Amino acid sequence: MKKKRYIELMYIRSLLFFAVILVLCANIYAQETAAAPAVKLTQDEAVELAIRNNLSLESSRINLAVRRRASDLSWNQFIPTVDVGGALLRFNESQMQSFTFMGQTMTMGSSQLWYLSASLSVSLNFNIAMIEEMNRLRLDYEKGLISFEKAKIQLERDVRKAYHNMLLLQENIALLRGTFANVERQVQMAQANYNAGLAPELILLQARVARENMRPVIDQVENGLKVSMAQFAMFLGLPFDTQFELTPVQSASNYAALDLSEIISMASANRPEIRELRQDILMLNSIKTSTTFRLYTPTLSLSWNTAPSFSGDPWADPWFDFSRWREGQGMFRITLGFRLNGLIPFTSENTALKNLNDQLATANMGLAQLINGTQIEVYNTVLSLERTRLNAQAQAQTVSLAEQAYRLTEQAYRAGLQDYFQVQNAEQSLHQARVQLLEQQFNYLNGLIDLEYSIGVPFGTLSGNSAATRSVE
């Protein structure tokens, strides 16, 4: 009986021991998860991380590598085509017979049922269009470079704008929390005035309602920041729950001097979409030239072939005894051919050339439209930036006036000369003025980023930030 009770106690102690171990491990894991430090990033560091890890950009990088390989090896079309073959034959009848195989006539005796033969041929076709094809592959690689550069600067643009948007949300949250602290202080003041009989209970209730109404507003903005950080982490190739510690923008109120005519001229020449379309037109011209050469120039063909036969018994005699192989019919041939289909109207070749001409005309018109659209877009962007600059400067004065009004209203409320609604209205006006000022400043920075993308200069050139992480040809 005692032994059984002892075993039960040991069993219970073992369970308790393992339970304690599991609880400790769970606590350690929770502490490690909760204590994961935030990733501290500047704008430039975020851009570099995105360029290294972004999956979409990696796909563009692989596509560029494929085009580069095709361009570097474009000469391989001049490598001759080499075909080798062999045959081991057995006839069904054992009699004297003659037959032709691989271009040669052979006679077999009644005792030879098996026959061994080989073939080797080398051929090469040359047309002047092949040289133009090498040029087309080079142009295709250059287009790949432009497309990769475009994808990279688009990613950088998106990362920088997302960085600014998160900073704006953080600043908005800080302002909301400051406002909440003021509301909490006003609740305490209302409570003190109510306890002293200086204010009715309604004022205290109004202060408490205002405080509670701010909680869901702060929660909503904080959730928006979490979503923005998750999307930002996706740009950078990091886990979605990564927390970031962002470096504040020191030059949020710096405004650039913009020369409209110079900016429009730069955009017409350097905008990534325009450079890409110009490269497409060069490629279409190269395809047209190559097609024209194939239709209207002759093709030179060089070929050589041989078909040796084995004179012995394939099963008894060694195959590598070269004295038993006799040369069959072989030849070296030079052929000059010209295809007439291109000269005949309504053929598929002639129609293909006309289609290329139409594609070129369409592409040139598209380029002209894109340049005109870019000029109008840049013009609107510059005007919008100027309007944003003026609004931000006016909003800065509004914030100064709102701060003064709030300060005077709060002093009057303490002296009992104003009710709580006046303080609340003054505080809301101040908060709105500060948020609008931040929005104007960050809108200006994002507008500069879009403008820098359009004119093809490194990001930070117009804003004065030394953040150029890419080169522009």
Side-chain angles (χ1 to χ4, degrees):
M1 188 72 179
K2 291 182 178 179
K3 184 176 181 180
K4 182 178 180 181
R5 187 174 181 182
Y6 175 77
I7 293 175
E8 291 177 351
L9 290 175
M10 292 298 296
Y11 179 73
I12 293 173
R13 289 178 180 176
S14 299
L15 290 178
L16 290 174
F17 174 76
F18 285 113
V20 170
I21 294 297
L22 288 175
V23 171
L24 290 176
C25 291
N27 289 335
I28 292 173
Y29 176 78
Q31 290 176 1
E32 290 179 351
T33 304
V39 179
K40 187 174 182 180
L41 286 175
T42 63
Q43 279 194 54
D44 296 343
E45 291 170 346
V47 169
E48 293 174 359
L49 192 60
I51 290 175
R52 288 199 306 267
N53 299 335
N54 187 266
L55 294 179
S56 178
L57 188 63
E58 182 63 24
S59 177
S60 299
R61 187 178 285 111
I62 294 174
N63 184 38
L64 177 62
V66 171
R67 294 185 177 190
R68 179 176 182 178
R69 186 184 306 116
S71 177
D72 292 343
L73 300 178
S74 61
W75 53 267
N76 60 12
Q77 59 185 324
F78 297 106
I79 298 177
T81 301
V82 180
D83 296 318
V84 295
L88 180 64
L89 306 177
R90 183 184 187 280
F91 289 89
N92 294 328
E93 298 179 1
S94 63
Q95 58 185 3
M96 183 70 70
Q97 52 188 302
S98 299
F99 67 97
T100 301
F101 180 72
M102 292 187 179
Q104 53 184 314
T105 302
M106 292 168 253
T107 302
M108 301 184 58
S110 59
S111 60
Q112 185 176 356
L113 299 178
W114 292 91
Y115 176 75
L116 181 64
S117 178
S119 65
L120 172 64
S121 65
V122 181
S123 62
L124 174 64
N125 295 328
F126 174 78
N127 187 283
I128 193 172
M130 298 170 67
I131 298 177
E132 185 60 32
E133 181 66 16
M134 296 178 63
N135 181 52
R136 187 195 66 80
L137 291 174
R138 179 184 60 81
L139 293 174
D140 185 60
Y141 170 60
E142 292 177 355
K143 180 189 174 182
L145 285 173
I146 296 174
S147 299
F148 177 72
E149 183 73 12
K150 173 186 171 183
K152 187 169 68 171
I153 62 178
Q154 283 179 341
L155 176 63
E156 181 176 354
R157 177 194 62 187
D158 295 340
V159 167
R160 291 187 181 278
K161 292 176 70 173
Y163 195 97
H164 288 161
N165 292 336
M166 289 193 300
L167 284 176
L168 177 59
L169 287 173
Q170 286 183 344
E171 294 291 343
N172 195 4
I173 290 173
L175 290 176
L176 285 172
R177 288 175 178 171
T179 303
F180 183 83
N182 289 337
V183 172
E184 182 68 29
R185 181 166 51 85
Q186 290 166 7
V187 170
Q188 296 174 1
M189 292 170 54
Q191 183 70 52
N193 291 337
Y194 173 73
N195 294 337
L198 300 177
E201 185 179 5
L202 178 61
I203 297 298
L204 176 59
L205 293 176
Q206 290 172 344
R208 289 176 177 175
V209 170
R211 179 187 61 186
E212 297 306 318
N213 285 338
M214 287 203 64
R215 295 185 190 274
V217 176
I218 296 176
D219 291 339
Q220 183 178 3
V221 179
E222 288 179 342
N223 288 335
L225 178 61
K226 291 179 181 178
V227 173
S228 297
M229 283 195 173
Q231 295 174 345
F232 190 71
M234 180 190 69
F235 279 137
L236 274 56
L238 298 176
F240 73 95
D241 56 350
T242 304
Q243 298 298 311
F244 298 98
E245 181 181 345
L246 307 179
T247 302
V249 177
Q250 301 296 331
S251 57
S253 59
N254 290 345
Y255 302 106
L258 303 177
D259 187 337
L260 181 59
S261 60
E262 180 181 0
I263 287 176
I264 289 178
S265 176
M266 294 175 65
S268 300
N270 298 328
R271 186 185 177 103
E273 289 80 3
I274 293 177
R275 295 175 60 207
E276 195 173 36
L277 186 52
R278 284 197 175 110
Q279 195 67 22
D280 285 337
I281 293 175
L282 289 177
M283 288 184 59
L284 282 174
N285 277 313
S286 178
I287 295 174
K288 177 185 174 182
T289 302
S290 176
T291 304
T292 303
F293 284 153
R294 290 192 181 278
L295 291 179
Y296 302 122
T297 59
T299 299
L300 178 66
S301 298
L302 306 176
S303 64
W304 175 83
N305 65 81
T306 183
S309 60
F310 190 70
S311 61
D313 186 351
W315 299 109
D317 299 327
W319 290 7
F320 296 98
D321 184 359
F322 296 104
S323 62
R324 295 183 178 273
W325 289 88
R326 59 169 179 248
E327 180 72 22
Q329 294 181 0
M331 69 178 68
F332 173 74
R333 181 171 59 188
I334 301 177
T335 305
L336 188 64
F338 185 83
R339 193 170 186 178
L340 300 178
N341 291 45
L343 302 177
I344 303 174
F346 311 116
T347 59
S348 59
E349 291 84 355
N350 192 275
T351 303
L353 190 59
K354 292 180 179 179
N355 291 339
L356 281 174
N357 289 328
D358 292 338
Q359 291 179 22
L360 272 170
T362 302
N364 281 298
M365 287 187 292
L367 177 61
Q369 291 177 348
L370 182 57
I371 291 176
N372 292 335
T374 297
Q375 292 174 350
I376 295 174
E377 179 184 341
V378 170
Y379 178 72
N380 291 335
T381 301
V382 172
L383 292 183
S384 177
L385 284 171
E386 182 64 18
R387 184 172 61 254
T388 302
R389 180 184 68 83
L390 295 176
N391 291 340
Q393 291 176 346
Q395 192 63 33
Q397 298 177 357
T398 302
V399 169
S400 179
L401 295 175
E403 289 175 348
Q404 184 178 1
Y406 174 72
R407 185 169 57 253
L408 295 176
T409 304
E410 189 177 35
Q411 291 175 359
Y413 174 71
R414 290 179 179 178
L417 301 177
Q418 294 285 355
D419 58 14
Y420 178 74
F421 280 115
Q422 298 297 329
V423 177
Q424 188 178 20
N425 291 336
E427 186 174 24
Q428 289 179 350
S429 298
L430 176 58
H431 175 75
Q432 292 175 357
R434 287 174 174 172
V435 170
Q436 290 176 4
L437 176 60
L438 285 174
E439 289 178 350
Q440 295 292 342
Q441 291 175 343
F442 280 102
N443 286 341
Y444 187 84
L445 286 178
N446 288 338
L448 284 181
I449 289 176
D450 289 333
L451 187 59
E452 288 166 341
Y453 173 83
S454 296
I455 65 179
V457 298
F459 290 107
T461 301
L462 299 179
S463 61
N465 297 324
S466 56
T469 60
R470 65 182 181 91
S471 60
V472 178
E473 297 178 356

